[in-house]
Amino acid sequence: IAETKPDIVVPIEAREAALDGLLRSQPALATRITCGGYPYCGVTILSRFPGRALDAGWPVEDGLQGSGWREPRLRLTSAMLAVPLGDGSAMQLPVAAVHVSRNGGVLYNETELAEIAREVRNLPDAERGILAGDFNTDGISYAMRRFEGAVALTRRTHLQPTWPSSDNLFPPPLFGI
């Protein structure tokens, strides 16, 4: 992160200490959008650009059911960022971050992706925004192909699994929406 100096970072399942460490090492990532005012969240948006949270209407869940791990979590965290342009003005850029459950099985996963697709389509200016996250499925699954079609995504990464992420071998997929 220090080398690439990204404009937007979307940590998934990052504990509060990890986020605090990242923010201490990268003070330019001053905008921090989390779950309903919690200091950290299973799905967080960090950015160099100023911004505000968009209320997606999701309730804050209490972690991963049955896993023994508790975290405040939204299925979809969304923000509107003000990206500065060369003429002194700013473009409004919607950014959404998603974390799909892995505990509910195939039918639950498809239902959850359909709900998230509806929320993404309802974001302001969604056609020129960014969606990043952990979809807990592979990019060629039936559920992901239906999801991509439902939100008219342009995939920026191909054939990269989004789970398991604990070994840090696979970067999360990024989409332009």
Side-chain angles (χ1 to χ4, degrees):
I1 291 175
E3 284 183 26
T4 61
K5 295 182 174 64
D7 295 323
I8 301 168
V9 176
V10 179
I12 305 290
E13 296 182 10
R15 305 281 178 126
E16 188 170 9
L19 283 178
D20 288 343
L22 175 60
L23 291 172
R24 274 194 304 280
S25 70
Q26 300 298 311
L29 297 173
T31 299
R32 182 181 195 174
I33 308 295
T34 67
C35 299
Y38 286 86
Y40 79 105
C41 179
V43 182
T44 300
I45 298 170
L46 304 173
S47 180
R48 295 177 183 281
F49 307 129
R52 62 180 169 78
L54 295 174
D55 179 14
W58 292 109
V60 176
E61 299 173 356
D62 186 21
L64 304 174
Q65 294 77 21
S67 70
W69 180 36
R70 296 288 174 231
E71 65 172 344
R73 178 177 176 189
L74 287 173
R75 282 188 252 177
L76 181 72
T77 298
S78 54
M80 185 64 77
L81 302 177
V83 179
L85 301 175
D87 63 2
S89 65
M91 175 184 80
Q92 298 299 303
L93 176 70
V95 176
V98 64
H99 189 190
V100 177
S101 299
R102 64 183 164 112
N103 297 355
V106 174
L107 292 177
Y108 181 80
N109 189 272
E110 284 190 33
T111 301
E112 189 173 12
L113 283 169
E115 291 172 358
I116 292 169
R118 278 192 295 278
E119 289 296 325
V120 169
R121 284 193 309 266
N122 288 329
L123 291 174
D125 294 324
E127 68 279 353
R128 63 179 183 168
I130 297 171
L131 172 64
D134 181 351
F135 293 88
N136 275 313
T137 189
D138 62 77
I140 60 171
S141 72
Y142 179 71
M144 275 305 289
R145 287 183 287 159
R146 284 180 56 115
F147 178 77
E148 289 176 29
V151 292
L153 297 173
T154 301
R155 184 183 275 272
R156 301 296 181 202
T157 57
H158 297 279
L159 298 175
Q160 293 179 329
T162 69
W163 184 85
S165 60
S166 60
D167 55 18
N168 295 316
L169 292 176
F170 306 114
L174 300 173
F175 297 100
I177 55 173

